[in-house]
Amino acid sequence: MKSYLWSHYKEAKKVTKDLVPSIMSNLLNPDAIFSNNEMSLSDIEIYGFDYDYTLVFYSKHLHTLIYNAARDLLINEHRYPAEIRKYDYDPSFAIRGLHYDVHRALLMKIDAFHYIQLGTVYRGLTVVPDEEVIAMYDGSHVPLEQMSDFYGKSSHGNTMKQFMDIFSLPEMTLLSCVNEYFLKNNIDYEPVHLYKDVKDSIRDVHIKGIMYRAIEADIEKYICYAEQTRAVLAKLADHGKKMFLITNSPSSFVDKGMKFIVGKDWRDLFDVVIVQADKPNFFNDKRRPFRKVNERGVLLWDKIHKLQKGQIYKQGNLYEFLKLTGWRGSRVLYFGDHIYSDLADLTLKHGWRTGAIIPELRSEIKIMNTEKYIQTMTWLQTLTGLLEHMQVHRDPDSQMVLEEWKKERKEMRETTKNFFNSQFGSLFRTDQNPTYFLRRLSRFADIYMASLSCLLNYDPNYTFYPRRTPLQHELPTWSDQLCTGHNLLPTMIIR
């Protein structure tokens, strides 16, 4: 039986090696737009945009700024030990979409089925052993009642907070660093209070204007200038599309940023501009009125009967917006980077089409296009198929071989995780399953892409067709194909 199993192993490895060149000839395009739902741009008459990480992208310096400013607030206003200054911001530590157990002070990655990916649970900056995680959660499943609320926040009865915002990367890192300091120095502390203090400090960096002032003072350092933003807006304008901007950022900040990346005439491209909208409340609160902002940034008290081109408005609500503009239904396409605050309500309650901007997508696809990644993933899938098919052999010799294969598979899974992020892996996958992040992305975004510049690659009448992904019962397993001699592994499975 050993010889029988190892002969199949060697044959499968040979087949896998032969497949790699054909896969390498059909690489993914990092600048493509990917579709969850069929949508034709010919039906879209109005385009809406968020500002931060949608129209404008920031340099690596911004997250360091947010981290340092929040850390200083912890020390100066919340009286935290000054020694936490020795922890600098590490941009390679966290990824978006992670969950944080507020009561246990644990940062972790959870899949679409509410299962924790073992090996990605961190207390401070230290990984928690699998056995300890399983003991704490009576397995690796997190019950629905413990998960975060609709917008990813920890609320009454929920112990988990999901970090979906790109701005939350410094927050996760600061939480982990302060936890690490307390643990290393045997300081007794209340995790809930720590979470609240860090959250408040990160919030104050925005609310007190620390971040806005720093960016405006050195705009070239913090904003990534890109002519593509101007090109995208100009293309849409040339094709007669109406455009609007709804952002939570303040007026002067948006104005200076847009002048830098688009030009002094940026307002001429937009039919409506709304700042400090307080999303997601903007989409649900029917009471807050719009206020006009004059050229000096002063709020006017005039009742708003019409949203005029070239003007800037503050606050308001979507219901009033719809009444004043008449822009309803599937002829509106709105782009944003925050799946909950920007997109969820629009697609569920108002029938707008939605586009998610996922900057991490470009770098992940580039990794997926490397020969090393393709070789590893192809063999991992093949080995999994072998295990699935050969597990029927229950004799001791066969079981010894299968255990060796399981060990190799486990090591390869760790390798594939490290391709993306050493602590948490890919934004989109937990081993074989989609992440919780991807589950929400698939639900709330009709299309998704790395940046708005991807739109330049498509005709304004282009129709996006989601790929028909075979269901589990619609596709023969790789082990079946292997054992019947049909040595064609679909790229869809490998990815």
Side-chain angles (χ1 to χ4, degrees):
M1 284 307 301
K2 280 186 177 181
S3 298
Y4 172 79
L5 293 174
W6 284 115
S7 66
H8 273 268
Y9 177 95
K10 291 175 183 177
E11 175 61 24
K13 201 149 199 176
K14 179 179 180 301
V15 169
T16 300
K17 186 176 181 181
D18 293 341
L19 279 170
V20 171
S22 64
I23 299 169
M24 289 292 297
S25 66
N26 188 30
L27 299 178
L28 296 168
N29 180 5
D31 295 315
I33 295 177
F34 301 92
S35 175
N36 292 320
N37 193 16
E38 186 173 324
M39 184 183 74
S40 177
L41 293 180
S42 62
D43 296 330
I44 305 300
E45 301 171 12
I46 305 117
Y47 284 76
F49 305 92
D50 181 32
Y51 178 69
D52 297 300
Y53 287 107
T54 300
L55 289 172
V56 63
F57 279 71
Y58 297 101
S59 72
K60 61 183 180 181
H61 302 293
L62 180 59
H63 286 176
T64 301
L65 165 71
I66 295 171
Y67 175 92
N68 290 341
R71 185 185 59 189
D72 290 344
L73 287 171
L74 279 179
I75 294 169
N76 298 330
E77 297 191 8
H78 296 274
R79 316 312 300 170
Y80 275 62
E83 287 81 4
I84 65 174
R85 280 203 177 94
K86 72 178 182 180
Y87 293 96
D88 293 324
Y89 178 64
D90 179 3
S92 65
F93 176 69
I95 63 172
R96 259 203 302 170
L98 299 178
H99 281 78
Y100 183 75
D101 189 323
V102 175
H103 293 285
R104 295 187 175 101
L106 298 176
L107 188 66
M108 68 190 73
K109 187 177 176 186
I110 295 179
D111 73 11
F113 303 97
H114 294 199
Y115 281 91
I116 300 166
Q117 182 178 0
L118 297 176
T120 69
V121 180
Y122 277 76
R123 180 184 290 116
L125 302 174
T126 306
V127 66
V128 180
D130 295 349
E131 300 77 18
E132 189 176 340
V133 174
I134 292 169
M136 280 190 287
Y137 291 94
D138 292 323
S140 59
H141 184 262
V142 180
L144 179 63
E145 61 268 18
Q146 293 182 24
M147 297 293 283
S148 53
D149 71 7
F150 183 79
Y151 296 106
K153 301 174 184 177
S154 176
S155 58
H156 179 70
N158 299 322
T159 62
M160 292 286 187
K161 147 80 177 179
Q162 189 181 18
F163 292 100
M164 297 292 273
D165 194 347
I166 299 176
F167 284 128
S168 66
L169 293 170
E171 182 176 357
M172 286 185 275
T173 306
L174 184 58
L175 265 173
S176 299
C177 288
V178 179
N179 272 310
E180 181 76 5
Y181 173 80
F182 285 155
L183 292 167
K184 292 293 185 185
N185 291 277
N186 297 314
I187 298 174
D188 189 27
Y189 69 102
E190 173 51 59
V192 175
H193 292 161
L194 170 59
Y195 166 73
K196 184 179 183 303
D197 290 343
V198 170
K199 181 181 70 171
D200 290 348
S201 296
I202 291 286
R203 179 202 63 198
D204 287 347
V205 172
H206 295 263
I207 289 179
K208 294 184 176 182
I210 298 171
M211 183 189 82
Y212 302 128
R213 288 192 296 272
I215 294 174
E216 289 183 43
D218 197 349
I219 206 162
E220 293 186 3
K221 176 180 179 180
Y222 292 107
I223 290 183
C224 297
Y225 177 70
E227 292 182 356
Q228 290 92 332
T229 300
R230 170 83 191 196
V232 169
L233 297 175
K235 179 180 178 180
L236 295 175
D238 288 344
H239 284 85
K241 306 298 183 182
K242 294 184 180 297
M243 288 181 282
F244 64 92
L245 170 63
I246 302 178
T247 175
N248 287 348
S249 293
S251 175
S252 63
F253 176 73
V254 172
D255 184 53
K256 288 184 179 179
M258 289 298 285
K259 284 177 178 175
F260 180 69
I261 62 171
V262 176
K264 292 182 179 180
D265 62 342
W266 72 270
R267 283 199 227 171
D268 295 340
L269 295 169
F270 289 89
D271 294 271
V272 179
V273 176
I274 300 167
V275 299
Q276 291 180 274
D278 191 28
K279 295 178 292 182
N281 293 331
F282 179 86
F283 302 128
N284 299 292
D285 189 340
K286 298 181 180 181
R287 295 167 297 178
R288 287 195 320 160
F290 283 107
R291 303 277 300 278
K292 186 184 288 187
V293 182
N294 69 13
E295 294 299 327
R296 300 190 305 277
V298 177
L299 283 176
L300 305 179
W301 287 96
D302 312 50
K303 183 174 176 60
I304 304 301
H305 298 283
K306 182 181 179 181
L307 297 176
Q308 298 175 320
K309 188 169 184 174
Q311 300 295 326
I312 294 180
Y313 300 90
K314 179 181 176 182
Q315 299 174 348
N317 66 83
L318 185 63
Y319 296 90
E320 187 70 12
F321 177 88
L322 297 175
K323 187 168 72 173
L324 294 173
T325 63
W327 295 344
R328 299 176 182 276
S330 58
R331 62 195 182 113
V332 184
L333 172 58
Y334 186 79
F335 292 94
D337 69 290
H338 198 302
I339 296 170
Y340 295 144
S341 296
D342 288 328
L343 308 181
D345 286 316
L346 293 177
T347 187
L348 290 179
K349 298 181 180 180
H350 302 286
W352 286 9
R353 308 311 291 266
T354 52
I357 304 300
I358 312 293
E360 301 94 334
L361 187 63
R362 184 173 282 118
S363 59
E364 289 218 7
I365 289 178
K366 288 180 178 178
I367 291 169
M368 293 166 62
N369 283 342
T370 61
E371 185 173 358
K372 189 174 181 181
Y373 176 86
I374 290 172
Q375 287 176 340
T376 303
M377 284 304 300
T378 309
W379 175 236
L380 177 58
Q381 292 297 92
T382 305
L383 184 60
T384 301
L386 273 174
L387 277 165
E388 182 183 9
H389 185 76
M390 298 302 183
Q391 64 182 320
V392 296
H393 302 291
R394 308 302 301 173
D395 59 281
D397 284 349
S398 296
Q399 288 298 305
M400 285 178 61
V401 174
L402 293 175
E403 286 302 317
E404 287 189 51
W405 293 358
K406 288 178 183 178
K407 182 181 177 183
E408 181 182 356
R409 180 173 181 258
K410 184 178 181 181
E411 291 170 353
M412 290 182 69
R413 280 183 158 186
E414 186 66 23
T415 299
T416 57
K417 184 187 81 171
N418 292 337
F419 276 121
F420 302 99
N421 176 282
S422 298
Q423 291 73 235
F424 303 102
S426 166
L427 178 65
F428 305 100
R429 277 203 179 274
T430 58
D431 292 330
Q432 77 279 1
N433 289 336
T435 57
Y436 195 87
F437 177 91
L438 183 62
R439 175 185 175 185
R440 312 310 276 171
L441 172 66
S442 301
R443 179 65 185 89
F444 300 137
D446 291 291
I447 56 176
Y448 62 100
M449 65 209 77
S451 69
L452 282 177
S453 63
C454 298
L455 281 170
L456 295 173
N457 302 322
Y458 296 84
D459 184 87
N461 294 314
Y462 188 89
T463 298
F464 295 100
Y465 296 99
R467 297 168 185 170
R468 182 181 172 90
T469 304
L471 303 175
Q472 291 294 307
H473 64 274
E474 294 178 326
L475 184 71
T477 63
W478 170 230
S479 58
D480 291 341
Q481 296 174 16
L482 183 70
C483 296
T484 56
H486 298 296
N487 297 324
L488 178 62
L489 182 60
T491 302
M492 180 278 300
I493 298 179
I494 295 173
R495 304 294 186 182

